[in-house]
Amino acid sequence: MAEQVFAEVIGDPIAHSKSPLIHRFWLDAAGIEGDYRKRHVTAEGLATYFAERRDDPDWRGCNVTVPHKLAALDHVPDPGGVRQTIGATNTVFRGDGGDLIATNTDAAGFYAPLEGIDLADREIVVIGAGGAARAVLFALGRMAGRGDRPRGSEPLIGRVTILNRSPLKAAALLALFGLKGQALQLGSKLPPAALLVNASSLGMAGQPPLSLDLSPLPDDAVVYDAVYAPLETPLLAQARGRGLETIDGLEMLVAQAAIGFELFFGQAPPSDRDDELRALLTV
């Protein structure tokens, strides 16, 4: 009798991950016999991990979190050109022929909560220049008109400012994704942006805090923190204290997880119990 099919999330650290709660909830709701686990994988163990999983027919794939989003591309085929576009993977799945395939669902997951928010010609600030930031900047590049929008049409967003410990690395990402803007040292004064996105690990449990002065932001600004552990980060608490609209990391996490679930288990997760899922994740 075949073993139970499963997928998992890998990272270092990994104890904080809420992905097993999400996928197990969906598996149960959809009546699928399967499991979703967390697996602690170090940088030194990454190659061995994929070598072992490649030959396991019950393994349907994995989500990839820090610090492996870039390094995983060295061990998994990339037929969709993720390396040349986003430059980082957060999802590896088994294709129809059994081969492993790297992709990235973070960009779509990032954009989903922003749908309906008017950012036309408005400035945006992104904190960080790692794997998650690359997905955010890829999505912003599409919003700015680098993607399928007609040539000459008005951009959906204005300038993008990246704050990072290495402004040089951040400036290279602006060029890579075709974004107009500037790269500044982390800790620099914020411009009056309509959207502030923390795409770094700062503020995550076990990581240094993210300390920003939000006073330059206008009253209609949106503060979006991709960190979800803790869910109520100091950044979001500060933003709410100012009466600013906020988007927490669970919204991006669940949106990108839904795409991964379909890749792993062959069907979209049920969407009629989203409120129940969020309640489970915020306990």
Side-chain angles (χ1 to χ4, degrees):
M1 181 176 179
E3 294 293 328
Q4 186 182 58
V5 298
F6 71 99
E8 52 197 349
V9 58
I10 64 170
D12 180 22
I14 199 59
H16 67 281
S17 178
K18 293 182 180 291
S19 292
L21 285 174
I22 297 171
H23 287 269
R24 285 172 177 171
F25 177 86
W26 285 334
L27 285 166
D28 180 67
I32 297 174
E33 290 291 333
D35 194 16
Y36 186 100
R37 311 161 184 172
K38 63 180 70 173
R39 174 80 179 267
H40 179 228
V41 177
T42 65
E44 296 76 17
L46 197 59
T48 300
Y49 170 81
F50 283 116
E52 292 175 347
R53 288 296 187 251
R54 185 173 286 109
D55 297 326
D56 185 343
D58 299 312
W59 180 82
R60 297 299 179 87
C62 68
N63 288 117
V64 182
T65 188
V66 292
H68 303 318
K69 291 189 175 188
L70 279 68
L73 287 170
D74 295 332
H75 307 287
V76 180
D78 178 25
V82 173
R83 185 188 293 275
Q84 287 72 39
T85 53
I86 297 178
T89 179
N90 79 320
T91 303
V92 175
F93 67 100
R94 194 180 297 282
D96 292 338
D99 293 335
L100 304 191
I101 299 174
T103 189
N104 194 303
T105 65
D106 275 341
F110 162 73
Y111 177 74
L114 293 175
E115 198 166 2
I117 296 178
D118 184 9
L119 294 171
D121 206 28
R122 302 291 300 275
E123 189 161 2
I124 294 173
V125 172
V126 176
I127 311 296
R134 294 176 75 102
V136 168
L137 293 166
F138 174 84
L140 293 177
R142 293 301 186 264
M143 293 169 67
R146 192 184 174 188
D148 299 328
R149 302 180 67 246
R151 184 182 297 275
S153 59
E154 289 298 315
L156 297 182
I157 62 171
R159 288 165 52 84
V160 175
T161 296
I162 305 178
L163 270 60
N164 191 52
R165 292 190 183 95
S166 170
L168 187 62
K169 179 180 179 181
L173 292 183
L174 286 174
L176 175 65
F177 295 109
L179 294 164
K180 295 181 179 180
Q182 60 182 340
L184 301 176
Q185 181 70 42
L186 186 64
S188 300
K189 182 179 179 181
L190 295 177
L195 173 66
L196 169 67
V197 182
N198 176 30
S200 75
S201 60
L202 295 174
M204 182 186 294
Q207 300 294 321
L210 175 59
S211 180
L212 293 175
D213 176 11
L214 302 184
S215 62
L217 301 184
D219 291 340
D220 64 345
V222 178
V223 176
Y224 189 149
D225 199 339
V227 169
Y228 60 85
L231 183 59
E232 177 72 357
T233 64
L235 176 63
L236 292 181
Q238 184 184 358
R240 292 190 180 110
R242 265 207 56 196
L244 302 178
E245 184 176 350
T246 60
I247 299 173
D248 63 44
L250 274 190
E251 296 197 43
M252 178 175 174
L253 178 68
V254 171
Q256 65 82 26
I259 304 169
F261 183 90
E262 187 166 2
L263 292 173
F264 299 147
F265 300 109
Q267 66 184 70
S271 59
D272 57 348
R273 296 171 63 184
D274 285 354
D275 290 344
E276 186 180 346
L277 174 59
R278 186 173 178 87
L280 174 68
L281 293 170
T282 53
V283 171

